[in-house]
Amino acid sequence: MADDFRDFFEERTQWTDPDAPKALESDAHILSDEEAPRSRREIRKSKERKRTRQLTRIVAIVLVVAVACSLAGFGYHRLTMWRDARERASETLTADYPGPGSGAVEFTVESGEGPAEIGDKLVKADVIKSQGAFTSAVAANNSTLYPGTYELKKHMASADVVAILSDQSKATGFLQVKAGERVSQVIADAAKLSGINADDFNAVINGGGAGILPAEAGGKFEGWFEPGTYNVKNHGSASDIIKTMVDKRVEKLDALGVPTGTDRQRLLIIASISESEVNSEEYYGKVVRVILNRMAKNMPLGMDSTVAYGLGVSADKLTDAMLNDASNPYNTRVNTGLPPTPISNPGESAIKAAMNPPEGDWLYFVTVNLTTGETKFAATEDEFWKLRDEYKNSNSNAN
């Protein structure tokens, strides 16, 4: 009752300033509600609302600060955990054994494998501790890793492994077929590196190539081995090794767009002669043009390289009797036309030259400098004899 009475009193009581000038009655009616004097109750409620708003703001600020601090603490904790995990991962990725290692591991680097791939294999073989340490060692030394089979140990230092894998003399089990090599040399190397008896290889070579050679080869393997690197140690038989080299050759010829059938065999014969006659690819195309020009005139090719191949010797071993032996089907000094087969396994450059030889009327060529391999070409016999004299003078001065 007292509170009701006080409220009643406060609602009807107005505070006035005794010193303030009295408002004219005529002005009283234009005062707005906000400008009108407020009661004590309204003033008290206004103060309470103001305190409530201030308290609300303080509580909100405290909550925001608390949440921010909590998030900052959580973020710092997560950042620390991430940093520590990253450092641990980095240490794991670049961990290395001190070496020198123990035991024996036979490890093979395949053709085309890169440092990262090789590093993964080394980790799985327990040769090194991490791929990262290995690839870093490769990069630091600017090393080239060669295909082959190597004798390593378990728990070796990565740098020591890189030193071995970048030393080609330590690689075994990989056959290098070089452009211009004869089948006989390739087979001898394959037998030695693979540990397979040479007789097994020769049986395949002399057996006609059924199921291995294309029909246009006529059962002869010469010219049908693709130059490159082959892991012969991991093959189970001589037949498998030979088939791999032939398959690679066919794949390369297809990729180069070499015509199939008899045209393919003919091109391989021409390319093999060109590569065997000169020692620089800059001359391959011109030698091909000489061969084509001579055939067009029904002239013997006159190539010592073919004569030597037919006799199983090198060109520097030829005698006059050998050069005049017409019974040798590869003697292009006496017989016209191309020899029966290629005389080596020509490389890509010689094959491309045989496909697109330059235009020219050359019928002769002479390597005038045996040291540099410089070769000159002539269209007439008179020019040819001048080149022969240049050859004799150059080599007599060299001696």
Side-chain angles (χ1 to χ4, degrees), residues 256-307:
L256 293 175
V258 179
T260 57
T262 56
D263 287 340
R264 178 167 287 194
Q265 178 74 343
R266 180 176 182 272
L267 186 139
L268 285 176
I269 293 173
I270 294 173
S272 70
I273 297 173
S274 174
E275 185 153 48
S276 298
E277 283 289 330
V278 289
N279 63 1
S280 176
E281 63 182 60
E282 68 176 297
Y283 303 124
Y284 291 164
K286 286 187 175 182
V287 174
V288 171
R289 180 54 63 189
V290 169
I291 294 172
L292 297 177
N293 288 344
R294 280 182 164 254
M295 291 176 64
K297 291 180 177 292
N298 201 32
M299 294 173 61
L301 299 184
M303 305 291 177
D304 289 352
S305 59
T306 64
V307 180

Side-chain angles (χ1 to χ4, degrees), residues 104-120:
V105 177
E106 189 177 79
F107 184 81
T108 298
V109 176
E110 300 285 353
S111 295
E113 288 183 333
E117 190 175 359
I118 295 171
D120 284 338

Side-chain angles (χ1 to χ4, degrees), residues 183-195:
V183 163
S184 57
Q185 183 61 56
V186 174
I187 292 306
D189 292 342
K192 180 180 178 181
L193 291 169
S194 67

Side-chain angles (χ1 to χ4, degrees), residues 166-218:
S166 58
D167 185 351
Q168 203 166 16
S169 67
K170 291 182 169 58
T172 62
F174 269 68
L175 172 67
Q176 295 285 339
V177 178
K178 303 178 183 66
E181 266 189 325
R182 297 177 182 177
V183 163
S184 57
Q185 183 61 56
V186 174
I187 292 306
D189 292 342
K192 180 180 178 181
L193 291 169
S194 67
I196 299 172
N197 196 295
D199 291 341
D200 293 347
F201 285 96
N202 290 324
V204 177
I205 296 300
N206 298 324
I212 300 177
L213 283 172
E216 56 263 37

